Amino acid sequence: MFVDEVVMNVEAGSGGNGCLAYRRESYVPMGGPFGGSGGKGADIIFKADSGLKTLIDLRYQKKIKANNGENGLGKGMNGAHSENLIVKVPVGTTVRDFDTDTIIADLTHHGEEATIAYGGRGGRGNVALATRSNPCPSFAEKGEPGEVRKIKVELRMLADVGLVGMPSVGKSTILSMISNANPKIASYHFTTLSPNLGVVKTKKNDFVVADLPGLIEGASEGVGLGHKFLKHIERTKILAHVIDMSAEEGRNPYEDYVSIRNELEKFSPKLLLKPEIIIANKMDGEKAKDNLEEFKKKINNKSVFEVTALINEGLDEVIEKLSDMVSEIEDKPLYEDDVIESHVLYKFKMEKPFTISKDGDTFVVRGDQIEKLFRMTNFNTEEAYDRFSNKLRKMGVDDELIKNGIKDGDTVRILDFEFEWTR
Ligand SMILES: Nc1nc2c(ncn2[C@@H]2O[C@H](COP(=O)(O)OP(=O)(O)OP(=O)(O)O)[C@@H](O)[C@H]2O)c(=O)[nH]1
Ligand SMILES: [Mg+2]
């Protein structure tokens, strides 16, 4: 239905640098290597949490950066690994790589975790680098950079509250005032062509409000734009009727209200059973007060919120009321079947993005994504090479090669590039 979406950068921790140091003890003739290795940088892990409803917390962060591993020290001391960074997201969140659009994670149940960016491994100090042929290396490795990527986080959301009403009554204006949404607002009818979603944050809870395209008489039979969205209204928990009390467009507020309710009923009688509030907007209009009196007489004392959305007047009470209603409903779902339907999650087919075959003793890896990645990588620095192999590892290529019986020193070919595989 609606998709909450956040684009952000993530940067996993880099590995700590390996240390270059020598033993200084008079009885050890040549000294000896004494530099410890760096610790591993933190991974960034997303974890599904059923307590969260929206991506609003991520929206305020442009970038998530995890801690680096500690550098190795002298006396052979290794740097500490950095603790992984756990980021809580709502159940139903999917994460894509922004550049390739591939799905990195599809978190469908509470507690499920997925690594979004891998921390770099620590660089080896000269102790770890010592070999029989080079027992005292005069170099140490730098830590591997943490993985940096741009991601798109998506959540299929259900609006708790739907703002319904005739065109131009101020639905989008209200949404813009009470939530983080930034919908188009204009004086002509049908400014809103598809629903905008906003998250309202209160001390008590967060909830999602949608401004629906204006409804007009006949909407349930397909007149105007609204009919396309009546289905969406069916899934919101609460209806907020917005009425233009200034009636400057020659409207009759009560008739508007009745006609909207008629359209809703014609589409599905169940809609009238939803809890609703009435928002009398444009109370700054000249005749608004009189119109409101008239209106109130006709609706048998239903409570009406008087607002002037344009100057953000009266909306605090609306927010408070909606917040209370949302938390009440949360405890007892209105329609069991709707709720279940609303929790049907996007399921993505996780097709293997590559194939492995053998050409003699050479392992051949093919796949659009890998070949694209390969072509996009400039192999003149080691870092680029590391990054490439890191990505392959993450895509599961290494695991798959191991399953296919690869051993250290075997040759792998991608396009026309061959390299020696090491674990
Ligand atoms: N005077 C006055 N004008 C308002 C008020 N609220 C909204 N408007 C104006 O009414 C016009 C329509 O507002 P929108 O928020 O776009 O109305 P809408 O209901 O979303 O309209 P559609 O999307 O076309 O159905 C805009 O010119 C707003 O500036 C108000 O409280 N007072
Ligand atoms: Mg609108």
Side-chain angles (χ1 to χ4, degrees):
M1 179 180 180
F2 302 118
V3 178
D4 192 10
E5 194 180 286
V6 178
V7 173
M8 67 190 316
N9 294 299
V10 287
E11 190 178 334
S14 297
N17 296 328
C19 174
L20 179 63
Y22 303 96
R23 226 179 262 269
R24 305 221 182 273
E25 288 162 62
S26 46
Y27 51 85
V28 182
M30 296 287 290
F34 219 10
S37 300
K40 185 185 160 300
D43 294 341
I44 295 177
I45 295 170
F46 278 21
K47 183 171 184 178
D49 186 312
S50 55
L52 296 173
K53 293 283 151 60
T54 72
L55 298 176
I56 194 160
D57 296 328
L58 294 186
R59 217 175 265 288
Y60 297 120
Q61 290 176 277
K62 283 226 163 64
K63 180 172 166 179
I64 296 178
K65 165 91 178 82
N67 290 329
N68 296 336
E70 280 178 25
N71 293 336
L73 298 169
K75 299 189 182 164
M77 284 187 292
N78 293 333
H81 300 314
S82 198
E83 210 163 298
N84 291 336
L85 180 64
I86 310 272
V87 179
K88 286 185 184 167
V89 295
V91 173
T93 297
T94 54
V95 184
R96 289 167 189 270
D97 183 290
F98 185 82
D99 300 315
T100 62
D101 214 36
T102 15
I103 289 153
I104 305 167
D106 182 12
L107 298 167
T108 57
H109 57 265
H110 179 74
E112 193 177 350
E113 293 186 350
T115 305
I116 303 303
Y118 284 80
R121 69 170 173 81
R124 283 173 289 180
N126 64 342
V127 171
L129 288 165
T131 57
R132 203 175 309 173
S133 56
N134 184 5
C136 185
S138 57
F139 56 89
E141 284 176 341
K142 280 185 160 181
E144 180 188 24
E147 190 182 9
V148 178
R149 69 196 319 188
K150 192 172 182 179
I151 57 169
K152 186 156 93 183
V153 188
E154 294 168 320
L155 174 68
R156 195 177 179 229
M157 277 201 312
L158 190 69
D160 297 296
V161 181
L163 293 163
V164 295
M166 293 277 168
S168 288
V169 295
K171 300 178 294 298
S172 300
T173 310
I174 292 172
L175 182 71
S176 74
M177 291 292 176
I178 65 175
S179 78
N180 62 332
N182 205 359
K184 189 171 172 195
I185 293 167
S187 59
Y188 54 87
H189 288 191
F190 300 120
T191 310
T192 302
L193 300 175
S194 61
N196 299 292
L197 269 196
V199 178
V200 181
K201 245 179 146 40
T202 71
K203 278 195 199 108
K204 192 162 156 191
N205 53 9
D206 293 354
F207 57 93
V208 181
V209 179
D211 69 339
L212 291 137
L215 293 170
I216 51 176
E217 207 174 317
S220 56
E221 283 116 45
V223 182
L225 287 169
H227 65 284
K228 289 190 200 139
F229 304 100
L230 283 167
K231 232 179 138 49
H232 292 186
I233 297 173
E234 212 172 13
R235 297 195 187 170
T236 63
K237 297 178 188 147
I238 297 164
L239 297 182
H241 283 269
V242 183
I243 301 191
D244 175 358
M245 231 14 104
S246 76
E248 259 154 30
E249 292 189 24
R251 287 216 160 101
N252 178 315
Y254 180 69
E255 280 169 19
D256 281 358
Y257 176 67
V258 171
S259 117
I260 295 291
R261 286 190 45 106
N262 278 341
E263 292 309 317
L264 297 178
E265 185 176 19
K266 273 192 235 158
F267 181 76
S268 158
K270 252 192 337 192
L271 289 179
L272 296 192
L273 301 175
K274 286 187 193 281
E276 63 167 47
I277 66 163
I278 300 172
I279 303 174
N281 189 31
K282 306 200 186 182
M283 285 306 294
D284 56 331
E286 220 174 290
K287 302 209 184 78
K289 282 263 175 296
D290 295 345
N291 291 338
L292 181 66
E293 294 258 303
E294 278 293 296
F295 180 79
K296 277 185 168 168
K297 273 186 216 152
K298 292 181 181 156
I299 56 162
N300 352 305
N301 301 322
K302 280 189 194 167
S303 77
V304 177
F305 291 85
E306 299 173 39
V307 312
T308 304
L310 198 60
I311 54 168
N312 199 357
E313 204 171 81
L315 288 168
D316 287 348
E317 289 79 3
V318 171
I319 292 175
E320 201 177 314
K321 177 70 181 173
L322 291 174
S323 158
D324 287 348
M325 289 170 83
V326 167
S327 57
E328 260 170 49
I329 292 170
E330 226 133 68
D331 302 336
K332 48 177 169 74
L334 256 193
Y335 307 115
E336 210 63 59
D337 56 333
D338 281 4
V339 173
I340 289 161
E341 192 190 356
S342 75
H343 282 79
V344 172
L345 292 155
Y346 276 29
K347 285 281 178 206
F348 296 97
K349 264 194 232 144
M350 293 291 272
E351 277 166 20
K352 216 177 269 172
F354 57 85
T355 60
I356 290 172
S357 55
K358 280 196 88 173
D359 178 10
D361 286 337
T362 303
F363 291 80
V364 183
V365 182
R366 286 197 190 88
D368 286 351
Q369 220 179 305
I370 285 174
E371 287 168 12
K372 182 174 162 205
L373 186 65
F374 174 81
R375 289 201 180 91
M376 283 165 61
T377 307
N378 188 346
F379 286 96
N380 61 1
T381 68
E382 191 169 344
E383 197 180 309
Y385 182 85
D386 281 354
R387 203 172 133 72
F388 180 72
S389 41
N390 205 8
K391 285 206 174 177
L392 291 194
R393 185 157 64 236
K394 194 151 39 67
M395 286 163 82
V397 176
D398 281 29
D399 288 347
E400 205 59 32
L401 284 167
I402 292 167
K403 268 190 216 150
N404 280 274
I406 200 165
K407 286 181 212 66
D408 277 1
D410 283 351
T411 304
V412 172
R413 183 160 78 223
I414 295 174
L415 291 170
D416 52 6
F417 174 73
E418 291 194 341
F419 60 95
E420 193 180 307
W421 189 83
T422 46
R423 207 175 267 249

